């Protein structure tokens, strides 16, 4: 009899469609490295996104704009190595897909080949709809992202909710419908009034994942560092903190700092010892050194 547990089945797009049809909520979270991927897997999430929010959460940039393809690939490959079951989405960074279909396909293929993603995510409607269609035709599953699109936040007037007037809401809905027509498999909708999501849902067949978009979407996504309280300062209105990891980490490193300075750490139980008699032999050998 084999002692190996059966490998966990990778979640598929078909599974997500079945969840949507059954009204089962889909859970997505971001991750940026191997340990966060393992935590997401063990917690049972359905989808992991290596978001370009990595630019801010782990790389210290002040927006998502500067992060490069190579930086994203390194983080995404680390996440891949930590995942078995959840679907993995790679976020194509700003400037890596917009200029032409050829550039979009070449970038997305790197994410598939070098980082093992299942889908790639691109932001906005407009010309991104053409890029989405080209990627789908090239055999690469795509996630669209509408509403607040952080890569072009400056053009949207900053990090603020979108679709607040009826006309602006129609623009968000038009983007979503155009992306669905282009063949995207999944849609992220960020920072819109809940009425906009409620109006959009009956119009779409693909699963919709909300972030700051109310409770009507098929699922929710939050940034790992936001939900675990691993940041300094205020979070967006829609973030719920489920832990205070920054506080716990700060307390731990401060206690270590204090104990090293006071000579409390390392204690006897943290030290290696030579076998019986070896310390005496060492002293003897040292006495012979001229
Ligand atoms: O980059 C990111 O983390 C995202 C999510 C907020 C959806 O795009």
């Amino acid at each position: 009899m084999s002692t190996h547990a059966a490998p966990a089945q990778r979640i598929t797009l078909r599974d997500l469609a079945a969840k949507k049809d059954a009204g089962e909520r889909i859970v997505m979270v971001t991750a940026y490295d191997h340990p966060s991927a393992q935590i997401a897997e063990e917690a049972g999430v359905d989808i992991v996104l290596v978001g370009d929010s990595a630019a801010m959460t782990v790389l210290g940039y002040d927006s998502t704009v500067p992060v490069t393809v190579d930086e994203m690939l390194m983080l995404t490959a680390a996440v891949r190595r930590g995942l078995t079951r959840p679907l993995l989405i790679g976020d194509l960074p700003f400037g890596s897909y917009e200029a032409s279909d050829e550039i979009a396909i070449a970038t997305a293929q790197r994410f598939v080949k070098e980082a093992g993603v299942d889908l790639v995510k691109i932001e906005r409607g407009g010309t991104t709809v053409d890029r989405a269609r080209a990627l789908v035709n090239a055999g690469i599953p795509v996630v669209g992202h509408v509403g607040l699109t952080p890569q072009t936040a400056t053009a949207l007037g900053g990090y603020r909710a979108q679709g607040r007037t009826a006309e602006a809401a129609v623009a968000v809905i038009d983007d979503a419908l155009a992306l669905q027509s282009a063949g995207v498999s999944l849609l992220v909708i960020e920072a819109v009034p809940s009425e906009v999501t409620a109006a959009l849902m009956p119009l779409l067949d693909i699963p919709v994942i909300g972030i700051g978009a109310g409770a009507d979407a098929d699922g929710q996504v939050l940034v790992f560092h936001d939900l675990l309280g691993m940041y300094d300062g205020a979070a967006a209105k829609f973030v719920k903190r489920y832990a205070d990891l920054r506080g716990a980490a700060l307390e731990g490193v401060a206690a270590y700092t204090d104990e090293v300075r006071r000579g409390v750490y390392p204690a006897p139980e943290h030290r290696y010892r030579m076998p019986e008699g070896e310390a005496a032999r060492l002293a003897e050998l040292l006495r012979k050194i001229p």
Side-chain angles (χ1 to χ4, degrees), residues 237-285:
K237 171 186 169 67
F238 56 78
V239 170
K240 178 168 177 184
R241 270 171 63 157
Y242 290 84
D244 176 21
L245 289 200
R246 188 173 193 279
L250 194 54
E251 213 173 283
V253 177
Y256 162 72
T257 303
D258 174 61
E259 289 201 353
V260 170
R261 293 211 169 113
R262 289 190 298 115
V264 172
Y265 174 84
E269 66 270 25
H270 305 120
R271 300 172 200 169
Y272 295 108
R273 300 302 306 268
M274 294 179 104
E276 184 80 30
E278 288 302 311
R281 280 189 358 91
L282 172 62
E284 187 61 28
L285 289 175

Side-chain angles (χ1 to χ4, degrees), residues 122-184:
I122 51 183
E123 292 190 4
R124 290 190 330 114
T127 52
T128 293
V129 176
D130 299 327
R131 304 293 95 83
R133 190 175 297 107
L135 290 169
V136 172
N137 287 338
I140 300 170
V142 176
V143 182
H145 184 154
V146 299
L148 173 59
T149 48
Q151 292 178 0
T152 43
T154 309
L156 297 175
Y159 287 88
R160 55 205 313 207
Q162 301 295 306
R164 294 174 77 103
T165 64
E167 290 76 15
V170 167
V172 172
I173 291 170
D174 279 347
D175 285 344
L177 292 173
L179 286 162
Q180 172 170 269
S181 299
V184 308

